[in-house]
Amino acid sequence: MADTEAKWYILHTYSGYENKVANDIKKVVENRNFQNLIEDVFVPVEKQTRTKENGETELVDEKLFPGYVFVKMIVTNESWYICRNTRGVTGFVGPGSQPTPLSEDEVKNLGITTKETTVSFDPGDRVSIKSGPLEGFEGVVKSVDVERMTADVDVSMFGRSTPATLELSAIVKI
């Protein structure tokens, strides 16, 4: 069952469970140090503008493939078990219970190839939070994790410094 190169696979999930499944798999991978088996897990989203009832517009993440989570992994008994037995997963996309990897053309057409990321801030820089529950607050970057696309930021709120892990897309350098 083991392969030597990580390939992209698709997990089918219950509708609405995509983000929970992706986060649960990431936690298990981190806790068990399986980064060498499961390299990447994500739910493809696209920014959409939506108008609220009061006429205001908001930017929201719209899932491109509802009910599916993309996983880049080397198929072993451990990686298969982690993915298949995560709450909310109904199975792999493929015949029977065998996961079927995406072809190179499918990966290219879906646009899930690794994109080059440039980070415009370093630890110690002041940033403003432009989206999420902490929108409008400011903070100081403590560390940046380009691989996970997050930054640890000490957020100044209510006269105190509160640590928070934020997506890189949610912050901008002041």
Side-chain angles (χ1 to χ4, degrees):
M1 191 179 216
D3 198 358
T4 58
E5 183 184 338
K7 295 182 180 158
W8 284 102
Y9 296 87
I10 302 175
L11 288 173
H12 188 264
T13 68
Y14 292 122
S15 182
Y17 277 71
E18 302 90 351
N19 291 333
K20 178 150 181 42
V21 165
N23 289 333
D24 287 350
I25 291 172
K26 287 176 185 177
K27 284 179 190 172
V28 170
V29 167
E30 189 173 319
N31 291 340
R32 294 187 185 175
N33 285 327
F34 280 160
Q35 291 88 348
N36 60 329
L37 294 179
I38 301 176
E39 294 182 6
D40 198 4
V41 181
F42 84 103
V43 178
V45 293
E46 181 177 67
K47 295 282 186 194
Q48 297 284 333
T49 305
R50 225 182 246 159
T51 306
K52 297 181 183 180
E53 289 179 16
N54 62 6
E56 292 181 19
T57 59
E58 65 179 342
L59 205 57
V60 294
D61 287 335
E62 190 73 34
K63 292 179 183 78
L64 292 175
F65 305 104
Y68 296 97
V69 174
F70 291 75
V71 180
K72 186 174 185 180
M73 67 179 195
I74 298 171
V75 177
T76 64
N77 289 333
E78 292 89 0
S79 63
W80 182 89
Y81 183 85
I82 289 168
C83 292
R84 185 63 184 93
N85 291 298
T86 298
R87 178 176 291 223
V89 173
T90 60
F92 280 94
V93 172
S97 62
Q98 273 304 107
T100 304
L102 295 174
S103 70
E104 292 300 319
D105 287 339
E106 289 171 325
V107 171
K108 193 185 316 177
N109 289 339
L110 290 171
I112 58 176
T113 55
T114 306
K115 295 177 184 159
E116 194 64 34
T117 304
T118 56
V119 179
S120 61
F121 40 82
D122 296 310
D125 287 346
R126 292 196 51 74
V127 292
S128 175
I129 303 169
K130 62 180 185 177
S131 65
L134 300 175
E135 181 177 355
F137 286 98
E138 294 180 357
V140 177
V141 175
K142 290 297 173 192
S143 65
V144 178
D145 187 343
V146 178
E147 187 174 299
R148 287 198 170 82
M149 302 291 290
T150 61
D152 291 327
V153 178
D154 280 341
V155 181
S156 303
M157 98 175 50
F158 311 119
R160 300 177 57 187
S161 180
T162 305
T165 300
L166 304 168
E167 292 184 15
L168 295 178
S169 62
I171 58 179
V172 63
K173 186 176 178 179
I174 297 177

